[in-house]
Amino acid sequence: MSLNRSEKEAVIAEVTSLAAKAQSLVIAEYRGITVADMTKLRNEARSKGVSLSVLKNTLARRAVAGSSFEIVADQMTGPLIYGFSEDAVAAAKVVADFAKTNDKLVIRAGALSGKTLDVNGVKQLANIPSKEVLLAQLLGLMQSPISRTARVLAALAEQRGGGAAEAPAAEAAEAAAA
């Protein structure tokens, strides 16, 4: 089924807006994947904030022209699925995780920050923890010295406070007796 000119322009406009917001793009060949598997992949992608699209390659090339994803235009041949994500890691993670369980999905290329990623680059990107996990790890590292210092100070206060707390109590008992 071919698209008329206005439908093609609408597709190009939609993909151009996706490319403008996205930090990463992953391209994978989906030849031979069943509809049920493709639906599962799309649902997983949607839950992770990844926009997966099956596009005509000529429309995809026009849509990414002038963007940081133009560098992978030469890879846009054959039956491809395009994964755009605002999170730099999400698209690579979704596609690579699905490719581990389904050998019919073949990662072709990717783009991140104006650089082309080969298959191994996409897989390495997929192994990076998500933004939330990295922020949690950073926060843990930043809190570690502070919490250690607080524990040391609390232990010192307890040692000094234990002896100091007994002296005022003894003085108060002597004053009450007199």
Side-chain angles (χ1 to χ4, degrees), residues 40-54:
K40 191 166 73 171
L41 173 61
R42 287 177 188 265
N43 289 336
E44 178 69 22
R46 196 174 301 118
S47 71
K48 304 279 189 206
V50 177
S51 173
L52 282 180
S53 304
V54 174

Side-chain angles (χ1 to χ4, degrees), residues 96-121:
D97 287 347
F98 188 80
K100 287 178 189 174
T101 60
N102 192 326
D103 61 343
K104 297 201 190 246
L105 185 73
V106 180
I107 299 170
R108 283 286 251 345
L112 176 69
S113 302
K115 294 185 176 135
T116 304
L117 300 173
D118 61 352
V119 176
N120 292 330

